[in-house]
Amino acid sequence: MDCPPSQAPSRRSFIASVSATAAAALLPMPRDTAAQARISEFTIRAAPARARLVPKPHGLTDVWAYNGTIPGPEIRVKQGHRIRVNVHNDLNEASTVHWHGMRVPNAMDGVPHLTQLPIEGGGQFIYEFDAIDAGTFWYHPHQRSYEQVGRGLYGPLIVEEAEPIRVDRELTWVLDDWRLTESGAIDESFGNLHDMSHNGRVGNTVTINGQILETVTVRSGERIRLRLINAANARIFGLHFSQLEPIVIALDGQPVSPHVPTDSIVVIGPAMRVDLILDMSHRPEARLSISDKFYQGLEYRLVDLIYADTPLRNRAPQWPMALPPNPLAEPDLGAAEHHRIEFEGGMMGTKMGMMHSGKVWFINGVAAQGHVMEPMLTLRGSRTYVIAMTNSTAWHHPIHLHGHSFRVLSRNNRPTKHREWQDTVLMAPREHVEIALVADNPGDWMFHCHILEHQASGMMGVIRVDGDGAQA
């Protein structure tokens, strides 16, 4: 349902032309050796693979993976470097790669037929863009994403600050859940109507970096920067760190005033990222559990932290935690143009009668059929916009805008405490959220729920930014 073939021919020549123009614009100009070193090149290959998602006596699980691993290889660069990724598609179907949260040129955004022609099986495509923002990002397909991501196609993308904050150790945890059978195989029920119209494909097995971890060893007095990425199709995590006090320092890759989250629970919806500072404040040989408490009555232990028998230091260090800001244009709220968006549909929604036509979810009364559609909004370049969004459904929705970050101004008419920058905002049932952004990245951009089943069954639109804006 993501990309009906009937829509492809009408845009084929247009997309090919735009892609060629963008590629030409990105060709590196002659430069000296020092500047050449600022290009970081990677190769990733999407193909069937086998992975040990669950421990023995279960066998290996057939998955789809980048370079044969779950998650795919970490792409890590310094802020300001150019990233060049040669993507090979060895699947028996078309695919793309989207660089989630990265402010890339439109032709590099990886949305089939909207920004590029899909990479057919046996084909390849070179993505090239600059790492404008430091932070925690990730990559995944946008072609039949509810199945391709659900089978394991994703990986972390880390852009390091020019001057990172001081920590003893950095960990990246890509969280995912899998719907597995008793034999450990992937359940093949992708795209069924129940998942599409309810909470999405929530699995029965949770992994950290593709494994069921029992323990992680830490040391007393150690300071850890933990980068969390939620790669699940639909599961929302609400992580509780026992007696530890997690300090949030970034959301969706963008710095935020360091703070302890509400009730000390770190909530991270699908596609979202959270950077934490964890100070290991307990005695040697202590054992603490990290648990997921988001779904009432379905709480479980995610992993245990085991303190080594020798401390690193006697107390937590007093190093600064605040990250340097990224070069985002600050919205001018006094000059902002205002728009309203309403999300409807799903089981127990107001448009249930439409479900027989395959339309399950709606944005402003319209259900998407694929990725290509007339823009729901057209924004003038470099102008500020405030968008008031209402979730009129009975379900959570992580709403993602491609190509931009936005400030979250309010929830249910109450100003947010930290005015956080995000690219994916989690909306609770019946919640009202206001966001603000500067439309400074030209192109047609996906705007959608990142519960991938919801996106595939209608909850997606296109926001057009006129070309007189300039990317930061």
Side-chain angles (χ1 to χ4, degrees), residues 177-362:
D177 72 343
W178 307 79
R179 187 176 293 177
L180 303 179
T181 67
E182 291 185 3
S183 67
I186 291 178
D187 186 300
E188 296 290 334
S189 60
F190 290 100
N192 67 78
L193 181 59
H194 182 276
D195 288 347
M196 294 290 190
S197 60
H198 287 73
N199 202 32
R201 183 182 169 96
V202 177
N204 53 24
T205 302
V206 173
T207 58
I208 298 174
N209 295 339
Q211 302 177 58
I212 297 176
L213 292 183
E214 290 295 327
T215 62
V216 172
T217 301
V218 299
R219 298 179 69 186
S220 298
E222 183 179 24
R223 173 166 289 186
I224 292 176
R225 179 176 181 172
L226 177 60
R227 299 178 185 261
L228 296 170
I229 300 170
N230 184 354
N233 276 29
R235 180 181 291 272
I236 302 167
F237 293 91
L239 301 186
H240 185 259
F241 288 78
S242 293
Q243 294 88 14
L244 292 178
E245 188 173 77
I247 307 294
V248 177
I249 60 170
L251 295 168
D252 289 352
Q254 301 299 336
V256 67
S257 298
H259 65 276
V260 178
T262 303
D263 299 324
S264 293
I265 292 180
V266 178
V267 176
I268 176 169
M272 295 170 63
R273 291 88 63 214
V274 180
D275 285 34
L276 301 174
I277 292 294
L278 296 175
D279 283 323
M280 300 304 160
S281 54
H282 292 75
R283 59 177 174 79
E285 301 182 354
R287 184 179 186 124
L288 301 176
S289 291
I290 300 176
S291 56
D292 181 3
K293 297 187 174 184
F294 186 81
Y295 299 101
Q296 188 174 3
L298 297 174
E299 299 86 353
Y300 64 94
R301 180 185 65 84
L302 177 66
V303 67
D304 282 356
L305 301 179
I306 304 293
Y307 282 73
D309 56 5
T310 56
L312 181 62
R313 59 177 65 88
N314 293 328
R315 61 180 60 87
Q318 299 300 308
W319 305 327
M321 297 184 186
L323 294 167
N326 283 316
L328 289 160
E330 186 63 45
D332 180 0
L333 299 181
E337 183 176 313
H338 291 251
H339 294 276
R340 293 186 176 275
I341 291 176
E342 184 177 12
F343 304 97
E344 301 174 276
M347 189 58 65
M348 299 181 285
T350 57
K351 295 182 179 288
M352 287 177 58
M354 299 288 287
M355 291 171 61
H356 298 293
S357 65
K359 297 178 180 180
V360 180
W361 302 97
F362 303 81

Side-chain angles (χ1 to χ4, degrees), residues 1 5 12 76 115 124 132 141 161 163 170 174-175 216 221 226 231 241 261 320 334 347 354 363 367 401 406 415:
M1 183 179 268
R12 181 172 299 274
R76 181 177 284 260
T115 69
Q124 66 183 84
I132 299 170
E161 299 87 7
E163 297 182 2
E170 182 177 301
V174 183
L175 307 176
V216 172
L226 177 60
F241 288 78
M347 189 58 65
M354 299 288 287
I363 302 180
L401 173 62
F406 47 77

Side-chain angles (χ1 to χ4, degrees), residues 40-49 64-77 83-91 95-100 108-110 116 119-129 137-142 148-149 152-158:
S40 299
E41 299 195 40
F42 304 87
T43 298
I44 61 174
R45 188 178 300 272
W64 295 352
Y66 292 119
N67 293 11
T69 65
I70 303 290
E74 179 182 89
I75 294 176
R76 181 177 284 260
V77 301
I83 300 173
R84 183 182 296 154
V85 187
N86 191 349
V87 175
H88 297 259
N89 180 16
D90 288 348
L91 301 172
S95 192
T96 65
V97 179
H98 168 60
W99 314 97
H100 187 108
M108 298 291 107
D109 196 46
Q116 70 170 96
I119 310 168
E120 298 296 336
Q124 66 183 84
F125 188 92
I126 296 176
Y127 295 90
E128 188 166 331
F129 50 90
F137 308 98
W138 67 300
Y139 59 93
H140 65 82
H142 246 302
Q148 293 194 6
V149 176
L153 286 172
Y154 53 78
L157 196 167
I158 308 300

Side-chain angles (χ1 to χ4, degrees), residues 340-403:
R340 293 186 176 275
I341 291 176
E342 184 177 12
F343 304 97
E344 301 174 276
M347 189 58 65
M348 299 181 285
T350 57
K351 295 182 179 288
M352 287 177 58
M354 299 288 287
M355 291 171 61
H356 298 293
S357 65
K359 297 178 180 180
V360 180
W361 302 97
F362 303 81
I363 302 180
N364 286 355
V366 177
Q369 298 276 6
H371 293 92
V372 180
M373 54 195 303
E374 288 300 309
M376 56 185 291
L377 292 176
T378 296
L379 310 182
R380 289 171 291 175
S382 301
R383 302 291 185 89
T384 293
Y385 293 86
V386 172
I387 301 176
M389 305 187 299
T390 300
N391 177 7
S392 297
T393 81
W395 307 93
H396 283 81
H397 299 292
I399 301 301
H400 174 48
L401 173 62
H402 288 215

Side-chain angles (χ1 to χ4, degrees), residues 41-60:
E41 299 195 40
F42 304 87
T43 298
I44 61 174
R45 188 178 300 272
R50 307 197 77 199
R52 180 161 296 287
L53 300 179
V54 291
K56 296 178 179 180
H58 295 287
L60 300 178

